């Protein structure tokens, strides 16, 4: 399942967006892989908020995919969404923040 978010407009100020992205880095929802930021969550509304943050910082959400189903208890599965985004500045402060406080795997990665 591929969902494009081309119509997302920046609805927040850049300092607020960067603060939110830093929280996601610390909670291991957001990682950096090469020149891209990879964001994983179980709630689609959070993907929309992530898209607004990326747009506010001058970046672009490249794709949103449902990558897996995760068991919550014995009888319920939820969808894991993964968004891939690009921030156009190679030395963006978020990348430096990720180097200091982030990880190489998200909290939903089965290798961890």
């Amino acid at each position: 399942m591929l969902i494009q978010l081309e119509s997302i407009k920046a609805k927040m100020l850049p300092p607020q967006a960067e603060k939110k992205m830093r929280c996601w880095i610390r909670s291991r929802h957001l990682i950096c892989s090469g020149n891209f930021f990879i964001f994983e969550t179980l709630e689609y509304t959070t993907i929309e908020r992530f898209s607004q943050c990326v747009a506010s910082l001058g970046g672009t959400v490249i794709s949103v995919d449902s990558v897996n189903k995760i068991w919550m208890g014995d009888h319920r599965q939820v969808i894991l969404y993964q968004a891939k985004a690009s921030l156009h500045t190679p030395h963006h402060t978020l990348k430096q923040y990720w180097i200091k406080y982030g990880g190489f795997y998200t909290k939903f990665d089965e290798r961890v």
Side-chain angles (χ1 to χ4, degrees):
M1 179 171 126
L2 175 65
I3 303 168
Q4 293 295 329
L5 296 174
E6 296 173 0
S7 64
I8 298 295
K9 302 231 187 316
K11 295 182 180 179
M12 65 177 69
L13 297 173
Q16 181 185 9
E18 188 164 341
K19 183 178 178 183
K20 189 64 184 160
M21 302 261 293
R22 287 177 180 223
C23 288
W24 286 324
I25 287 171
R26 287 191 312 272
S27 68
R28 292 184 22 233
H29 283 85
L30 180 63
I31 62 169
C32 189
S33 178
N35 294 325
F36 301 104
F37 283 92
I38 309 293
F39 180 72
E40 290 186 344
T41 186
L42 300 175
E43 299 177 21
Y44 193 79
T45 56
T46 310
I47 292 287
E48 293 169 347
R49 211 168 319 131
F50 172 72
S51 300
Q52 291 172 359
C53 290
V54 169
S56 177
L57 295 173
T60 305
V61 173
I62 298 168
S63 66
V64 176
D65 298 314
S66 59
V67 292
N68 200 1
K69 289 186 179 180
I70 296 177
W71 284 98
M72 300 291 281
D74 293 333
H75 304 289
R76 188 176 89 154
Q77 284 186 321
V78 292
I79 296 172
L80 175 64
Y81 295 102
Q82 183 182 76
K84 189 175 190 180
S86 172
L87 290 176
H88 302 294
T89 54
H91 300 290
H92 197 279
T93 57
L94 277 176
K95 186 154 187 169
Q96 300 303 317
Y97 189 84
W98 172 80
I99 290 169
K100 189 171 184 180
Y101 298 104
F104 291 100
Y105 304 105
T106 66
K107 70 186 294 177
F108 302 105
D109 198 316
E110 295 171 354
R111 292 176 283 187
V112 178

